[in-house]
Amino acid sequence: MTDFPALAPEFIDYPTLDRLEPISFDHPPRFLLLYGSLRERSYSRLLVEEADRLLRSFGAETRIFDPRGLPQPDDADPSHPKVQELREASIWSEGHVWCSPERHGAMTGIFKSQIDWLPLESGGVRPTQGRTLAVMQVNAGSQSFNTVNQLRVLGRWMRMLTIPNQSSVAKAFNEFDEQGRMLASPYYERLVDVVEELFKFTLLTRGRADYLVDRYSERKAERRHPAAASLQDASE
């Protein structure tokens, strides 16, 4: 079919395989890891640290953001050092790992505050768009998927490429030794699965993220009404 009366053909960009050819980089894949608890023995942090070790064993560069000292959204200026640290790390990264405890059936406020400090656009740079994402959660009781499901919605809203696999660790207090290392179990095997998949997807998409998330509707809005498009983007 060639008749598309609603289509503005000057804004269409027909996908081509050559735009998805691999790109060589002078640095390994870069990952930012976020967790959602300030407890001294934080199981979301311990799970993130295990993911971090695996990523580095694959050759990645990693940063784990410490949320201690991060102010509540709207309770400080974006120039706050912790906010700047978080935003700079997100821009530096090519993929994210998110892990939150489940509290009252949802992600924690500690975790959500970190995401709320990452705008869709900041100075013309989008701190999360096109980056790969793996989501994980830890539970004090039986296994649940409420939090990873919420994190998936959040990742979509932040315009990220969330991998299919995920990790949900039940009774997390039983899954780590006294030194904070994760014990051998099906939960650990799933963590390895998640990290492997994240690394593969990142290798596949790095350098191509802008092309993969380039949208007809946004090209049309930006070229016809640049100011209005900017306002709409900031409001999302």
Side-chain angles (χ1 to χ4, degrees):
M1 296 179 63
T2 57
D3 182 22
F4 299 98
L7 186 70
E10 66 270 29
F11 300 112
I12 195 72
D13 181 11
Y14 292 99
T16 58
L17 190 59
D18 64 289
R19 299 281 296 277
L20 294 172
E21 290 295 324
I23 298 176
S24 296
F25 285 82
D26 59 1
H27 62 80
R30 294 170 171 172
F31 295 93
L32 172 63
L33 299 90
L34 306 178
Y35 60 93
S37 170
L38 302 182
R39 292 176 176 174
E40 182 176 352
R41 187 171 171 85
S42 163
Y43 294 107
S44 62
R45 175 177 56 79
L46 294 180
L47 190 60
V48 154
E49 289 176 349
E50 288 291 341
D52 178 76
R53 293 184 186 98
L54 288 165
L55 285 169
R56 286 189 282 113
S57 76
F58 295 162
E61 295 179 5
T62 63
R63 296 183 187 179
I64 299 177
F65 179 74
D66 183 350
R68 289 176 296 181
L70 182 71
Q72 286 292 304
D74 304 324
D75 194 36
D77 190 85
S79 63
H80 188 284
K82 289 296 290 188
V83 176
Q84 289 299 304
E85 177 189 349
L86 176 60
R87 292 185 176 185
E88 192 278 328
S90 185
I91 293 170
W92 167 87
S93 70
E94 295 165 307
H96 284 205
V97 176
W98 292 356
C99 182
S100 174
E102 181 163 309
R103 188 169 298 166
H104 301 306
M107 74 182 79
T108 63
I110 298 294
F111 188 88
K112 184 58 161 57
S113 292
Q114 295 173 74
I115 304 305
D116 287 345
W117 275 119
L118 294 176
L120 286 181
E121 184 172 2
S122 178
V125 176
R126 290 174 173 172
T128 53
Q129 175 161 291
R131 286 157 177 77
T132 53
L133 171 64
V135 296
M136 308 188 299
Q137 72 173 80
V138 292
N139 305 278
S142 59
Q143 191 173 49
S144 163
F145 301 97
N146 293 327
T147 296
V148 286
N149 288 339
Q150 291 178 335
L151 294 177
R152 286 186 176 279
V153 171
L154 195 54
R156 179 188 61 77
W157 191 255
M158 300 304 288
R159 301 179 176 181
M160 304 178 78
L161 306 174
T162 309
I163 66 169
N165 217 333
Q166 61 189 24
S167 171
S168 174
V169 179
K171 297 183 179 179
F173 54 86
N174 286 332
E175 300 303 323
F176 295 86
D177 65 20
E178 292 182 359
Q179 288 71 45
R181 297 303 306 269
M182 196 169 187
L183 302 171
S185 72
Y187 292 128
Y188 181 77
E189 293 171 5
R190 173 57 68 90
L191 172 65
V192 178
D193 291 346
V194 169
V195 173
E196 283 185 346
E197 188 171 291
L198 174 65
F199 199 90
K200 292 173 184 177
F201 271 77
T202 305
L203 290 176
L204 185 67
T205 60
R206 68 190 307 227
R208 296 305 189 190
D210 289 344
Y211 177 62
L212 288 168
V213 297
D214 184 33
R215 298 173 176 86
Y216 163 79
S217 60
E218 292 182 353
R219 290 193 299 272
K220 183 177 177 183
E222 289 171 0
R223 295 179 196 176
R224 289 187 172 179
H225 307 288
S230 178
L231 289 172
Q232 170 65 21
D233 197 56
S235 69
E236 291 184 352

